[in-house]
Amino acid sequence: MKNIVYAIVLMASISLKAQNVIVEEVKDPVEWVNPLMGTDSKPSLSNGNTYPVIAMPWGMNFWTPQTGPMGHGWAYTYSADKIRGFKQTHQPSPWMNDYGQFSLMPVTGSLKFTEDDRASWFSHKAEVVKPYYYSVYLADHNVTTEITPTERAAMFRFSFPKTDSAYVVIDAFNKGSYVKIDKDHNRIVGYTTKNSRGVPDNFKNYFVIEFDAPFVSEQVFSEDAIVPNTTSLTDEHVGAVVRFKIKAGQKVHAKVASSFISEDQAFLNLKELGTDSFDTLKHKGKELWNKELSRIEVSGGTVDQTKTFYSCLYRTLLFPRKFYEVNKEGEIVHYSPYNGKILPGYMFTDTGFWDTFRSLFPFLNFMYPELNTHMQEGLANAYKESGWLPEWASPGLRNIMVGNNSASVVADAYLKNKDVYTYDIETLYEALIHGANNAGPMEAVGRAGAEAYKKLGYVPYDIGINESAARTLEYAYDDFTIYQLAKALHKPKKEINLYKERSLNYKHLFDKETGLMRGKNEDGSFMEPFNPFKWGDAFTEGNSWHYTWSVFHDVEGLIDLMGGKKAFTAKLDSVFQLEPVFDDSYYGGTIHEIREMQIANMGQYAHGNQPIQHMIYLYNYAGEPWKTQYWVRETMNRLYLPTPDGYCGDEDNGQTSAWYVFSALGFYPVCPATDEYVLGAPLFKKAVLHLENGNTITINASENSMENRYIQQIKLNGKKYSKNWYSHTELQKGATIDIDMSNTPNKNRGTAKKDAPYSLSND
């Protein structure tokens, strides 16, 4: 017994030491990525709600193993033990579900083609998951399946046993599909129309699949029945089955590509694979991922911190996806998810601005400005094709979430990139003004309650528009971003001043009695009864304790409303000191966002959802930056791990990951559409950022450690720096930032009013 106890203690000691091993250099960053981070999720509790994305950065097509049934939003869950197929997916999140999906699945023995019958047991122990490569052993069929992707195509490699009965099932899914088998060319073409709304009536995803082995036999099916005497079929739910005779050691390859434009365009997209072998494509994919991930080099963190950083960085490089293609003339064209036409120019999709305006798009402006310029061109096209800017696109307009945050995305991109890139900003400005002053064709487009907001300065609680306080606070910030853009474009002074005045509308909802934001009725009275712990109702997926801080652009004004800096920081402190109590009566049950706050043991701080993610950084505005430093590190330590349960809520298309990436570097974009990043404290001893313009930012914090989370001193380019923010413009010129770290806070640094970040009240 003593020996057993000793062995357990020794193993625990070895494990603890491994966790504290410092990574001095990362040569192959893609190998530090865990695409399974966040996949141990379910509708009632999100640890990320991700699936393993096998794709190129921002690729038009993603691939994933499919464990869930056809049409289920949770396409892959870590707890599953069977795989039903390998799916081409365009799903941004399980809540939005998928579109343009079809799958391949190898089978041996007797023919099994329905998704339940063909499903095979698998183990994570026989699964290899990389951004550029996936492999798994399917035990029931004795087949190893491998996938390596390009932007619009992929190659499969199937390792069958020696058999006369090796099959590949192509499932074009339900809601209308088509397949045709061309035996002479070992080819299958088809299309799928399956979607989750947000598409025109003529939507199709055309696919082509070419094998390097001849078909011994071929069949098509409809639903659960083989259809004899035909190799071409259009119906509600169709698919194809091809059979191979396999010699010992033989591998079967399948080249796959698709297009939203046409079958001919799918064949053009197939040329992305060229004549490369599977292993060559795999190597090229790895090199491309390494190129992008190496744009930020971190060192001096633990193994888990390094894995988490690069896993989060991988997630920031996926959405919004490219929704454009290159035609035979070499021109960039797209199928419009708004009007169904084939049109010239860029198009991107699968992002919700309510989530991603906060840090994902600022990250793109910081590290990928040219790409984000193309995204802005895509937004201009979306406006021309639909009459509105999308707030949640997947692939077209979707009626979900609140706010008019396209204003932030457009304004921040132009204000930060206008001196380098040119594009049609006037059309985008027109789109912002249109969206800011009109209710759209659905509540999530334009501004629901626009007329009341313009008349009263807020969206009333009692006029039948849900989540009115959240809308008001976000509209006020969105007006600020329009104000900033209007100034940069030299619009008439009257127009500039209008949006400046409207950006102060947040003040209408501040309740001096509680010191919190509160819904207000049309007659000017506050809503009754008021429970600051009530989720939903006047707020969106949060409560008053979360939304009170949604004054990104005028924290000084919020400080004044709360009675000064001491009262303000005490209120911030309260978020962490309060118990994680909640009122879920608005929803009629405990939604997963509530549960994720409850179990995190950080009081009312609900990092798993977006509204409060910036709140930790607000101590900088009130002269107590050391509290930001403490809580940023605490959040990274507690709520992020490079494991299947590694997030603390929905990852949300790069937003929650971008929070970590920025925070690990030591700064964060509290208010997009300004030039500033608010300071936290770096996680690593060193970070080197290779900017797109060729300049380099080096952040040195050699004394950084688990204990040393506080900033004692900063030197920016050799000069002592006391401010609680960095300038985007200055950082883009390149910089060396030297930071002295300690285990005790420096309560003298960053405390002066001049050190505080931007607020509109000080403009």
Side-chain angles (χ1 to χ4, degrees), residues 13-150:
S13 176
I14 292 171
S15 175
L16 185 62
K17 287 179 180 178
Q19 291 174 17
N20 294 324
V21 169
I22 299 301
V23 179
E24 299 296 343
E25 184 180 11
V26 175
K27 293 183 178 180
D28 219 5
V30 73
E31 299 306 321
W32 293 81
V33 173
N34 181 10
L36 295 179
M37 180 174 170
T39 59
D40 189 8
S41 299
K42 54 188 176 183
S44 60
L45 184 68
S46 174
N47 289 308
N49 265 338
T50 63
Y51 56 89
V53 172
I54 316 304
M56 290 297 98
W58 305 286
M60 187 178 87
N61 300 326
F62 295 172
W63 291 90
T64 190
Q66 180 191 347
T67 63
M70 177 177 60
H72 198 275
W74 282 258
Y76 178 101
T77 52
Y78 191 80
S79 60
D81 45 36
K82 285 188 176 183
I83 286 176
R84 302 166 184 262
F86 301 92
K87 184 170 81 158
Q88 186 187 101
T89 176
H90 305 92
Q91 179 170 295
S93 79
W95 307 109
M96 301 302 290
N97 215 297
D98 207 351
Y99 64 91
Q101 56 211 282
F102 63 94
S103 71
L104 286 74
M105 181 67 178
V107 175
T108 59
S110 60
L111 174 57
K112 300 172 183 176
F113 61 89
T114 65
E115 64 173 3
D116 288 337
D117 289 343
R118 72 189 183 226
S120 171
W121 283 82
F122 81 106
S123 167
H124 297 299
K125 300 177 184 68
E127 184 185 40
V128 178
V129 191
K130 309 287 184 183
Y132 60 90
Y133 171 74
Y134 180 83
S135 173
V136 69
Y137 176 68
L138 300 172
D140 289 326
H141 305 305
N142 192 21
V143 177
T144 295
T145 297
E146 300 169 273
I147 311 169
T148 191
T150 62

Side-chain angles (χ1 to χ4, degrees), residues 367-381:
M367 294 300 297
Y368 291 92
E370 182 176 20
L371 177 70
N372 202 19
T373 296
H374 296 324
M375 292 176 182
Q376 300 305 307
E377 295 178 54
L379 283 175
N381 288 331

Side-chain angles (χ1 to χ4, degrees), residues 27-323:
K27 293 183 178 180
D28 219 5
V30 73
E31 299 306 321
W32 293 81
V33 173
N34 181 10
L36 295 179
M37 180 174 170
T39 59
D40 189 8
S41 299
K42 54 188 176 183
S44 60
L45 184 68
S46 174
N47 289 308
N49 265 338
T50 63
Y51 56 89
V53 172
I54 316 304
M56 290 297 98
W58 305 286
M60 187 178 87
N61 300 326
F62 295 172
W63 291 90
T64 190
Q66 180 191 347
T67 63
M70 177 177 60
H72 198 275
W74 282 258
Y76 178 101
T77 52
Y78 191 80
S79 60
D81 45 36
K82 285 188 176 183
I83 286 176
R84 302 166 184 262
F86 301 92
K87 184 170 81 158
Q88 186 187 101
T89 176
H90 305 92
Q91 179 170 295
S93 79
W95 307 109
M96 301 302 290
N97 215 297
D98 207 351
Y99 64 91
Q101 56 211 282
F102 63 94
S103 71
L104 286 74
M105 181 67 178
V107 175
T108 59
S110 60
L111 174 57
K112 300 172 183 176
F113 61 89
T114 65
E115 64 173 3
D116 288 337
D117 289 343
R118 72 189 183 226
S120 171
W121 283 82
F122 81 106
S123 167
H124 297 299
K125 300 177 184 68
E127 184 185 40
V128 178
V129 191
K130 309 287 184 183
Y132 60 90
Y133 171 74
Y134 180 83
S135 173
V136 69
Y137 176 68
L138 300 172
D140 289 326
H141 305 305
N142 192 21
V143 177
T144 295
T145 297
E146 300 169 273
I147 311 169
T148 191
T150 62
E151 283 191 349
R152 298 171 186 84
M155 186 180 288
F156 281 69
R157 182 163 66 188
F158 302 107
S159 297
F160 288 101
K162 180 182 178 181
T163 179
D164 290 342
S165 302
Y167 301 90
V168 174
V169 178
I170 292 87
D171 192 335
F173 285 25
N174 61 7
K175 306 301 182 184
S177 47
Y178 158 76
V179 291
K180 179 181 178 181
I181 301 173
D182 178 356
K183 184 175 183 178
D184 292 339
H185 296 94
N186 306 321
R187 179 187 295 157
I188 300 166
V189 297
Y191 63 71
T192 175
T193 66
K194 189 169 179 61
N195 66 83
S196 313
R197 300 179 299 279
V199 299
D201 291 340
N202 67 346
F203 170 80
K204 292 182 176 69
N205 185 26
Y206 302 87
F207 59 81
V208 54
I209 306 168
E210 292 185 349
F211 292 88
D212 68 348
F215 304 159
V216 174
S217 65
E218 58 283 330
Q219 297 169 293
V220 294
F221 63 85
S222 178
E223 293 293 351
D224 58 357
I226 294 292
V227 179
N229 305 318
T230 184
T231 56
S232 177
L233 190 63
T234 305
D235 208 340
E236 171 70 4
H237 176 196
V238 304
V241 182
V242 291
R243 182 166 67 93
F244 305 94
K245 183 176 181 180
I246 303 298
K247 300 175 183 178
Q250 180 183 356
K251 298 180 187 296
V252 175
H253 296 81
K255 294 182 176 182
V256 188
S258 68
S259 168
F260 296 106
I261 294 174
S262 68
E263 184 178 297
D264 287 344
Q265 183 65 43
F267 276 101
L268 277 178
N269 293 343
L270 193 66
K271 292 182 179 180
E272 284 187 355
L273 300 173
T275 59
D276 288 339
S277 68
F278 185 94
D279 290 327
T280 298
L281 287 168
K282 176 182 172 185
H283 175 74
K284 285 183 175 180
K286 177 178 179 177
E287 290 301 300
L288 196 152
W289 269 108
N290 270 334
K291 176 185 174 185
E292 301 300 352
L293 295 170
S294 294
R295 293 278 295 273
I296 303 179
E297 302 176 68
V298 297
S299 58
T302 66
V303 170
D304 276 359
Q305 288 169 344
T306 306
K307 287 180 177 178
T308 302
F309 181 85
Y310 283 110
S311 297
C312 286
L313 185 54
Y314 147 79
R315 290 279 169 191
T316 68
L317 306 183
L318 295 175
F319 296 102
R321 81 170 68 253
K322 295 174 181 177
F323 201 75

Side-chain angles (χ1 to χ4, degrees), residues 456 458-462 519-528:
L456 300 173
Y458 60 93
V459 179
Y461 174 77
D462 57 349
K520 181 175 279 190
N521 295 318
E522 191 173 13
D523 65 5
S525 63
F526 282 113
M527 57 169 285
E528 293 282 358

Side-chain angles (χ1 to χ4, degrees), residues 436-691:
N437 291 284
N438 296 282
M442 53 187 75
E443 276 201 346
V445 176
R447 293 189 181 182
E451 292 305 317
Y453 176 80
K454 288 187 289 183
K455 178 182 177 181
L456 300 173
Y458 60 93
V459 179
Y461 174 77
D462 57 349
I463 64 169
I465 296 176
N466 64 334
E467 301 165 9
S468 59
R471 294 181 194 274
T472 298
L473 293 168
E474 294 194 24
Y475 293 170
Y477 163 69
D478 297 330
D479 283 332
F480 167 78
T481 68
I482 296 173
Y483 157 65
Q484 292 284 78
L485 182 58
K487 283 194 299 180
L489 295 176
H490 307 292
K491 296 300 178 182
K493 189 172 183 179
K494 183 178 180 181
E495 192 168 321
I496 294 171
N497 288 339
L498 170 66
Y499 290 96
K500 181 178 182 180
E501 290 166 8
R502 279 169 44 165
S503 68
L504 297 173
N505 281 339
Y506 70 89
K507 294 183 179 182
H508 292 299
L509 298 191
F510 186 77
D511 173 21
K512 291 184 178 180
E513 183 180 338
T514 62
L516 296 168
M517 295 295 177
R518 185 171 174 181
K520 181 175 279 190
N521 295 318
E522 191 173 13
D523 65 5
S525 63
F526 282 113
M527 57 169 285
E528 293 282 358
F530 175 60
N531 179 355
F533 302 106
K534 185 176 184 179
W535 282 60
D537 200 12
F539 301 99
T540 301
E541 295 181 1
N543 62 32
S544 181
W545 278 103
H546 306 145
Y547 260 94
T548 291
W549 315 105
S550 293
V551 187
F552 314 95
H553 56 295
D554 195 18
V555 180
E556 182 67 29
L558 184 60
I559 290 171
D560 291 342
L561 288 175
M562 288 188 174
K565 292 180 179 178
K566 290 297 181 184
F568 178 79
T569 54
K571 206 77 170 181
L572 287 171
D573 292 342
S574 296
V575 171
F576 300 107
Q577 294 165 353
L578 289 164
E579 293 183 5
V581 296
F582 57 86
D583 175 352
D584 62 8
S585 59
Y586 176 78
Y587 300 107
T590 306
I591 62 173
H592 75 94
E593 289 91 348
I594 295 175
R595 190 70 70 206
E596 288 139 20
M597 179 198 75
Q598 181 193 33
I599 65 177
N601 193 27
M602 292 182 73
Q604 286 292 314
Y605 183 65
H607 187 82
N609 212 19
Q610 281 68 37
I612 203 170
Q613 286 181 350
H614 69 292
M615 164 257 170
I616 291 174
Y617 285 90
L618 301 189
Y619 287 106
N620 284 283
Y621 295 77
E624 297 187 15
W626 59 90
K627 290 184 177 178
T628 290
Q629 294 156 27
Y630 174 84
W631 284 112
V632 167
R633 181 70 66 88
E634 200 71 6
T635 301
M636 287 191 285
N637 284 350
R638 288 200 209 180
L639 303 184
Y640 288 82
L641 287 169
T643 56
D645 63 345
Y647 291 103
C648 56
D650 286 351
E651 194 280 327
D652 280 327
N653 310 108
Q655 165 57 30
T656 302
S657 292
W659 185 96
Y660 186 93
V661 171
F662 267 123
S663 296
L665 296 174
F667 53 94
Y668 184 79
V670 167
C671 186
T674 66
D675 189 56
E676 296 178 4
Y677 302 101
V678 180
L679 266 61
L683 182 65
F684 296 93
K685 293 179 183 291
K686 186 174 183 179
V688 180
L689 287 68
H690 302 282
L691 302 179

